[in-house]
Amino acid sequence: MNGGFFLNFLALNPNTTPGDLAAFLGTNYGKIKSIYYRGQMQRHYLPFDIPKKNGGKRRILAPSDKLKTLQGRLASLLEKLYNPREPVKAFLKGTSIVDNAWPHCRKKFVFNIDLENFFGTITFARIRGMLIAKPYSLLPETATVIAHLATVNGILPQGAPSSPILSNMLCGSLDRDLYSLAKRHRAVYTRYADDITFSFYCPIEFLPKNIVEWSDSNGHANHYHSNVGHDLKAAINNQGFTINTSKVRLQGPHERRTVTGLVTNQKPNVPRPYVRKIAALIHSIEKYGDQAANVIYKKKYPNSKGVLESHLQGHLLYIKQVVGESSIVYRRLAQRFNMLPISSKVPNTPQATKEDSDNFKVGEFIKNKCWITEIGENREGQLVQIQGSAFMIQGGLLISCAHNFSSEIEIKDPESDKVTKKIVNFDECTVFRAGEGEPIYEAKVVIIDKLLDLAVLKITEAPQALPAFDLEVSKEPNIGDRVAVLGFPNHKSGPHVGILKCKITNKYPLFDVLHSEVDKTLYAGNSGGPVINSSYHVVGVAAKGAEGNPNGKNSFIRVSELIKYLDKSGFIL
């Protein structure tokens, strides 16, 4: 039986017998029994160790080809039964450590704990009992066969294809309890295998002590010597797991906060020491050549397997996965790597030459009026992430583009595999100004017009006297005039407002909305940013640019359209 093909049409259910299961796996029940009844199950595994970051070793049990095939097919069947909760980020198609890090970005405190001997505590009896119980309700004899196939020496082996899905299934009750605990205390919870993370917006004095017990130092709250709260510890112990006390840490403001190895202070990013290490290894090949650099590398990292070339390639692809191919950091490292006299290469698609956009540090009188809008929500099982620009005007109003609050997602019918597209809209987001330590606010869309591509937002619980731009009401710029587009293009990194100086080249109506075209490329993320004249008055709102589209237009919505829209909507400027 071709398991890879026919498994698409098969599913386990409460009436599935061991014989049915064997047929689903492309074999017969007798052959399955011979695997675990004739001799010890461990004879089907090849053990080996891999080094841990802390200097220890992790034991991996690699199944034989025959058993690996059966376990892979079993995993496909089990995945159809499992309905993952939102906080689960590991061992799911389309998810990675980046997805696990995003929910904890820009939080004041990040609390990390680790489960001790995670796979080793998932036993034959626990797997069998879970499969027999609701919601799976499999026959006891069928659950027994699955548990036999998936375990060795009575525990779940790390290295078997069926172990990840079974570990997620067994943690279902744990995820439910910890998600409810986080929800009650306005915290964010995610789990990536045995890594559990909670994050909080509130000051340390208001952290829920039943989740994390911070310490007291000379009458002041201190997060450096924190412990697991009573309710959190009880929830984990009640589900049969143990906390690794050596990996409990609470990370606070003014320090690097990490989740599954990624920095989450602003957005998921690789730590700087990691980037410096990769740059140093590339420099070693540049300076000494491939062979000599490998000798140096082996002496410094004796436990590392493989050659330096493959090591670098893997780490560069990891950086690309985290920060994206357009990241300046990745592109610089990739360019240096691809120029080395070695056969391995990494993706580094040529991009349009960066124009003299005059990106530079700007004064507070401009920066404090420009805002970033961000949306990161799960819709239809997909994480939707949108970044845009906005600016403050009189009356405490934030102006942005309407398309920054909608996105197109693909929905796949699990039965027919048919993919349909759907537009999802959002009426709220988080907003903040660029720079370290800037507070994050919730904002709501008060009015929106998709034809004009304009949106007006109000910050919830906004502080008073926020700096605001003046709108140019006396003279609109003409063709040939110079303006500056302010905003936060996705291709740009750094804590400063981007300024793109350009010249107006055309004026035209687009769907009866007056636009002006400029001679420089506008990028994703610029949308919603202010276009200002030499007097620092707003003359327009940056619209969609021509990035990646040679036939596109780089234009902004003229301020007269915004003023008419605000007047029509009843806002007094």
Side-chain angles (χ1 to χ4, degrees), residues 185 200 202-209 214:
H185 298 284
F200 312 86
C202 61
I204 188 170
E205 294 85 358
F206 297 100
L207 291 181
K209 285 203 167 185
W214 42 266

Side-chain angles (χ1 to χ4, degrees), residues 224-374:
Y224 291 110
H225 302 285
S226 303
N227 294 311
V228 179
H230 176 270
D231 288 2
L232 175 56
K233 185 176 182 180
I236 291 174
N237 291 341
N238 289 341
Q239 295 299 332
F241 294 101
T242 304
I243 297 170
N244 184 345
T245 55
S246 66
K247 292 188 177 182
V248 174
R249 67 191 189 280
L250 178 63
Q251 305 161 93
H254 313 300
E255 67 177 333
R256 187 176 69 193
R257 300 182 291 281
T258 60
V259 176
T260 46
L262 299 182
V263 179
T264 59
N265 290 39
Q266 294 294 322
K267 62 180 180 179
N269 206 348
V270 290
R272 289 182 181 178
Y274 186 95
V275 175
R276 287 195 290 264
K277 176 184 174 182
I278 300 306
L281 292 175
I282 293 175
H283 176 71
S284 179
I285 300 179
E286 291 171 337
K287 184 175 180 180
Y288 302 110
D290 186 25
Q291 293 184 351
N294 262 292
V295 173
I296 297 172
Y297 174 71
K298 286 293 184 181
K299 288 182 179 179
K300 192 171 184 179
Y301 305 100
N303 293 325
S304 180
K305 296 183 178 180
V307 296
L308 178 56
E309 175 182 334
S310 299
H311 175 85
L312 278 172
Q313 184 185 37
H315 282 277
L316 283 170
L317 293 175
Y318 169 74
I319 294 175
K320 173 179 172 289
Q321 177 193 12
V322 174
V323 301
E325 188 175 344
S326 61
S327 163
I328 294 176
V329 172
Y330 169 75
R331 294 186 66 79
R332 287 174 178 170
L333 291 174
Q335 183 179 23
R336 289 176 60 187
F337 179 79
N338 288 344
M339 292 177 67
L340 295 174
I342 54 179
S343 58
S344 298
K345 302 297 175 186
V346 295
N348 195 16
T349 306
Q351 294 184 350
T353 303
K354 200 172 183 180
E355 299 140 13
D356 54 338
S357 53
D358 294 318
N359 287 318
F360 56 89
K361 290 186 178 181
V362 298
E364 293 294 325
F365 70 101
I366 289 182
K367 187 177 78 171
N368 285 344
K369 302 172 186 176
C370 297
W371 294 73
I372 303 169
T373 66
E374 275 197 350

Side-chain angles (χ1 to χ4, degrees), residues 426-470:
F426 303 86
D427 58 6
E428 57 185 14
C429 66
T430 57
V431 296
F432 54 94
R433 289 175 289 192
E436 289 290 337
E438 285 287 343
I440 301 172
Y441 301 94
E442 298 291 329
K444 290 187 176 295
V445 177
V446 290
I447 54 172
I448 191 168
D449 190 316
K450 293 186 178 181
L451 178 62
L452 289 173
D453 198 16
L454 289 173
V456 181
L457 295 80
K458 271 275 192 179
I459 297 177
T460 306
E461 299 180 357
Q464 293 183 347
L466 286 171
F469 281 108
D470 291 324

Side-chain angles (χ1 to χ4, degrees), residues 516-572:
S516 291
E517 190 172 3
V518 296
D519 63 347
K520 297 291 178 66
T521 301
L522 302 183
Y523 294 85
N526 267 127
S527 301
V531 182
I532 60 175
N533 58 18
S534 58
S535 300
Y536 301 107
H537 291 174
V538 173
V539 296
V541 183
K544 294 182 179 180
E547 179 192 15
N549 181 5
N551 298 318
K553 293 183 180 296
N554 301 291
S555 66
F556 61 86
I557 305 162
R558 281 148 62 175
V559 72
S560 57
E561 295 283 7
L562 173 61
I563 293 173
K564 286 190 295 184
Y565 179 54
L566 292 172
D567 183 62
K568 180 181 176 181
S569 302
F571 290 98
I572 301 175

